[in-house]
Amino acid sequence: MEEETKKGHFIESIIQEDISNNKNDGRVATRFPPEPNGYLHIGHAKSICLNFNMAGQFNGKCNLRFDDSNPAKEKQIYIDSIQNTVKWLGFEYGTPFFASDYFDKLYEFALELIRKGKAYVCSLTADEIREYRGTLTEPGKNSPYRDRSVEENLDLFERMKNGEFGEGEHTLRAKIDMASPNINLRDPIIYRVKNAPHPRTGDKWCIYPMYDFTHGISDALEGITHSLCSLEFEDHRPLYDWFLDNVSVPCHPQQIEFARMNINFTVLSKRKLQRLIDEGKVAGWDDPRLPTLEGMRRRGYTPAAIRNFCNIIGVSKKESRIDMGLLESCLRDDLNENAMRVMGVIRPLKVTIENYPEGQTETLEAMNHPQKPELGKRDVSFSREIYVEQDDFMEDPPKKFFRLGPGREVRLRAAYLVTCKEVIKNEAGEVVELICTYDPATRGGNAPDGRKVKGTIHWVNANDCLDAEVRLYDRLFKDENPEQDGQDFVENLNPASLEVLTGCKLEKRLASAEPEVPFQFERLGYFCLDRKDSTDDMPVFNRTVTLRDAWAKLAKQHPPRKNKGNKPPRQKKKG
RNA sequence: UGGGGCGUCGUCAAGCGGUAAGACACAGGGUUUUGAUCCCUGCAUUCAGAGGUUCGAAUCCUCUCGCCCCAGCCA
């Protein structure tokens, strides 16, 4: 049903091989290392699943480690959110780790490099450092400070630590090779002065280690065996190895790179997501249209669906753009299996059943899940006045329209067969009510005379229902690739990504719905109560995803006739 | 004309010298009180291209082409 771990992607093969060679004594340890400078998104989920799955699969452990070496960008709220989200996704990580917990040790390792003559304090300005670095095609040149004595370096570095210098005055650099074709090896900066309070170490430090120095050493200190990261760090691997080879760490983890995830019709980068928020294009980090895990959670995505998706897409080194449809397919799979069925009318059209006794109400039974009778039945109330979906009526319907139209008979799900007798319109000519008759002999939906009724539509008792707001979401961008032809992705937003419907009429049992618990509104899609904007007076439901809709697809392929407002069906063409 | 990667169906992705898995999508058909679900069926003579090695190549070699990443005191 769920989560069949894919067999053998290349990282799994490497680990398997290492185990059979008894490398690391057959131990496996991975880590998920987010920088707490933003919220997690679906792209991170891939890495989370990969790291935790590899550990789980090979009886190892996976650490959650915050890569918090740049206090200028990092915040406690992100630390909290990330922990929360990883737990929600379903992974156990025990006590989280922090690179900042290694600041003392990192400082010692920097000292070790200086004593070995492999690091020096450089007093070039940022601009000068850039100039000295050379370009992609020209080698760099040595810093004039490259040959300072060990003593002087030790003294300067200590004074950096003690706060005697301002930002940018000095840096500590590894002494590697200014002529290396790999720019990362041209005496990379290890420490810089930064006068910013750190979320965890406060103002204890005014110098902070850079990523390349911090990351590998943190891995080694935690006994990580396989350090999985994305492709852009491939060029950093020689540096990763250089640090671990030149400093006294307990082990030397192996860095392995894989391609990060991309999905069409959305953007996956903290920077771009941040911009959508800053420019007010979406409501915040947890806007249900966003691919952030908090947004997806609020919208109704389930952890199981996301995990399954991450397992299904595989792991490789090829840049790819995954079809949003695949994510949705995984979602529907889980929701179809687990969501209780209910009825809700989101664009109500009143129906009066003229031959049904006035003032009478009766209780009918409906299945909670047609494929799972063990989930039981629920009561739904029925009376003379009900609501049906506006889309389920056409004044001049084509032949293949199996719903309501003048003189047509349909089944009200779990109720009766009704026939449309009369159409009532307002002054503007809009249909505002239908007068129908019902066949009392069809209680439950079957006709004793065996006549076939092709269409079944959902409905709600007008005298016993829940008023609600419903939010319909669509893809955030119009284009499959929001940045096609170098366009600014913000210009490509789908103006119809959010549609708010008020005055929706839902089955009464939804009054006790809990946030994020999925329901299938039959024939419409999967919905859940919004945890943030719902009030006692006005519940708000988010549409998580629609049902597959063969009818809508058909109608789209064959454009509307000019007559009424409804979607117009045509005969399907052959071939 | 620096370095590092990557190129298998529309989209992901198996394949590791023995004659192209699977998933999503798509197209037909069946079941159905959700036009949902479910169930069948079809869907790469071909692996970026060209040469070569071999009885045999997507898999090995050579060259060519295309795409991505790197010049933060970000991660």
Side-chain angles (χ1 to χ4, degrees):
Chain A
M1 319 218 160
E2 182 221 321
E3 301 182 43
E4 289 171 26
T5 304
K6 278 215 63 175
K7 45 160 194 263
H9 51 68
F10 79 102
I11 293 178
E12 198 172 339
S13 305
I14 291 172
I15 296 178
Q16 203 116 38
E17 173 100 16
D18 288 345
I19 289 175
S20 47
N21 293 334
N22 206 36
K23 186 175 172 185
N24 306 304
D25 302 316
R27 199 171 47 83
V28 173
T30 57
R31 98 271 92 110
F32 170 61
E35 181 188 12
N37 68 345
Y39 297 87
L40 261 22
H41 54 66
I42 181 75
H44 294 108
K46 175 180 180 180
S47 175
I48 294 170
C49 290
L50 209 214
N51 279 293
F52 278 93
N53 284 165
M54 287 303 94
Q57 194 173 321
F58 297 107
N59 247 294
K61 61 160 189 171
C62 176
N63 294 344
L64 168 62
R65 182 178 70 232
F66 290 94
D67 231 327
D68 56 347
S69 57
N70 182 3
K73 294 184 174 178
E74 298 151 6
K75 290 191 170 70
Q76 185 62 39
I77 45 167
Y78 299 130
I79 295 176
D80 296 338
S81 165
I82 289 169
Q83 290 195 56
N84 220 323
T85 300
V86 174
K87 273 184 208 149
W88 173 74
L89 255 191
F91 296 105
E92 300 277 339
Y93 53 82
T95 308
F97 291 73
F98 294 84
S100 53
D101 286 345
Y102 310 133
F103 280 173
D104 287 307
K105 289 176 181 169
L106 259 357
Y107 182 76
E108 289 301 320
F109 286 126
L111 256 23
E112 180 182 353
L113 284 179
I114 294 174
R115 289 194 196 97
K116 285 177 173 169
K118 295 189 172 183
Y120 62 96
V121 171
C122 181
S123 306
L124 252 22
T125 64
D127 285 343
E128 289 168 336
I129 286 184
R130 192 180 317 118
E131 282 166 29
Y132 276 73
R133 188 154 35 219
T135 68
L136 293 178
T137 52
E138 306 155 21
K141 56 187 185 206
N142 287 171
S143 162
Y145 305 100
R146 202 173 198 256
D147 295 315
R148 287 217 253 233
S149 69
V150 168
E151 290 66 34
E152 189 182 2
N153 282 323
L154 252 15
D155 174 63
L156 250 17
F157 187 49
E158 180 167 1
R159 290 166 61 195
M160 278 171 69
K161 186 193 72 167
N162 293 340
E164 290 184 30
F165 307 115
E167 291 188 11
E169 284 186 49
H170 304 283
T171 55
L172 183 70
R173 297 229 254 164
K175 192 187 287 185
I176 305 180
D177 178 9
M178 288 306 292
S180 172
N182 181 342
I183 290 182
N184 294 121
L185 262 20
R186 318 240 262 230
D187 289 11
I189 292 169
I190 304 176
Y191 265 92
R192 76 287 210 188
V193 174
K194 207 156 252 240
N195 291 310
H198 188 281
R200 292 181 53 83
T201 61
D203 51 14
K204 176 177 177 186
W205 297 90
C206 61
I207 55 171
Y208 291 92
M210 297 287 287
Y211 165 85
D212 289 297
F213 184 67
T214 308
H215 200 89
I217 291 177
S218 299
D219 282 344
L221 293 175
E222 289 173 21
I224 299 303
T225 57
H226 302 269
S227 182
L228 315 181
C229 65
S230 43
L231 251 29
E232 67 267 33
F233 291 104
E234 216 147 15
D235 286 343
H236 295 238
R237 192 178 346 123
L239 184 53
Y240 181 97
D241 290 331
W242 189 91
F243 282 128
L244 295 185
D245 285 339
N246 287 286
V247 118
S248 309
V249 285
C251 61
H252 189 141
Q254 178 184 4
Q255 173 178 306
I256 304 170
E257 310 83 14
F258 63 92
R260 53 165 40 157
M261 171 197 293
N262 292 293
I263 300 181
N264 61 12
F265 293 104
T266 192
V267 291
L268 285 184
S269 91
K270 286 179 188 169
R271 202 205 100 241
K272 289 172 193 160
L273 294 172
Q274 183 67 257
R275 207 180 135 202
L276 293 175
I277 293 158
D278 291 345
E279 294 181 14
K281 305 298 184 188
V282 296
W285 278 101
D286 60 354
D287 188 296
R289 291 168 293 180
L290 253 22
T292 54
L293 292 169
E294 293 216 31
M296 293 170 75
R297 174 180 184 175
R298 188 171 159 202
R299 174 155 167 174
Y301 272 80
T302 61
I306 294 172
R307 275 183 261 130
N308 192 219
F309 171 69
C310 290
N311 289 154
I312 277 178
I313 59 170
V315 179
S316 74
K317 298 188 71 160
K318 190 172 88 182
E319 307 262 352
S320 61
R321 183 175 294 277
I322 294 160
D323 193 335
M324 176 68 84
L326 182 56
L327 213 208
E328 293 174 340
S329 168
C330 291
L331 218 210
R332 290 193 185 101
D333 258 8
D334 184 45
L335 261 14
N336 174 53
E337 188 72 16
N338 299 306
M340 295 286 213
R341 271 59 172 171
V342 292
M343 290 192 284
V345 175
I346 60 174
R347 293 184 180 90
L349 171 60
K350 186 164 183 201
V351 172
T352 298
I353 300 162
E354 62 180 359
N355 62 337
Y356 192 89
E358 239 164 297
Q360 179 175 315
T361 295
E362 71 179 296
T363 301
L364 300 162
E365 281 190 323
M367 301 273 284
N368 284 327
H369 189 130
Q371 277 75 47
K372 290 182 163 183
E374 67 274 19
L375 291 179
K377 298 180 174 180
R378 66 185 189 283
D379 292 338
V380 291
S381 78
F382 184 82
S383 75
R384 184 182 158 94
E385 283 92 35
I386 62 172
Y387 291 111
V388 300
E389 209 65 62
Q390 284 170 21
D391 283 351
D392 287 338
F393 171 81
M394 278 184 88
E395 199 173 3
D396 182 21
K399 217 154 155 201
K400 292 274 204 168
F401 187 76
F402 307 134
R403 308 180 189 180
L404 235 26
R408 293 207 183 188
E409 182 174 48
V410 299
R411 175 166 32 241
L412 295 176
R413 166 130 255 222
Y416 294 96
L417 262 29
V418 295
T419 302
C420 178
K421 295 297 186 187
E422 195 184 325
V423 178
I424 299 176
K425 298 181 182 178
N426 61 14
E427 318 76 56
E430 298 160 337
V431 177
V432 293
E433 184 178 347
L434 265 24
I435 305 297
C436 294
T437 57
Y438 84 119
D439 179 348
T442 59
R443 193 174 199 270
N446 286 311
D449 64 3
R451 68 180 186 274
K452 292 294 176 215
V453 173
K454 178 80 177 166
T456 299
I457 65 174
H458 59 279
W459 54 277
V460 156
N461 183 349
N463 303 309
D464 185 23
C465 61
L466 176 70
D467 279 282
E469 173 178 320
V470 169
R471 297 176 182 173
L472 306 180
Y473 303 105
D474 198 353
R475 345 211 97 152
L476 227 202
F477 292 91
K478 291 178 290 192
D479 258 336
E480 173 174 338
N481 176 1
E483 296 183 288
Q484 195 129 59
D485 306 322
Q487 294 172 80
D488 179 1
F489 66 101
V490 172
E491 301 304 312
N492 248 319
L493 283 161
N494 174 9
S497 62
L498 168 64
E499 183 177 3
V500 178
L501 263 26
T502 54
C504 305
K505 307 291 185 182
L506 311 180
E507 198 177 313
K508 209 50 183 287
R509 75 161 293 189
L510 256 2
S512 60
E514 295 291 327
E516 292 162 22
V517 173
F519 287 94
Q520 184 193 97
F521 288 10
E522 288 199 72
R523 302 209 311 131
L524 294 179
Y526 298 95
F527 296 76
C528 70
L529 187 69
D530 187 89
R531 72 154 181 261
K532 211 169 172 180
D533 295 343
S534 290
T535 63
D536 290 341
D537 294 337
M538 187 50 68
V540 174
F541 283 84
N542 294 318
R543 183 176 69 193
T544 309
V545 65
T546 62
L547 253 29
R548 260 192 206 89
D549 189 344
W551 173 251
K553 194 194 281 181
L554 221 194
K556 204 174 176 185
Q557 285 168 5
H558 303 278
R561 304 194 203 141
K562 63 269 189 174
N563 67 26
K564 302 297 169 251
N566 262 331
K567 285 184 227 153
R570 272 290 169 74
Q571 295 299 5
K572 227 214 115 133
K573 69 156 186 266
K574 279 284 175 218

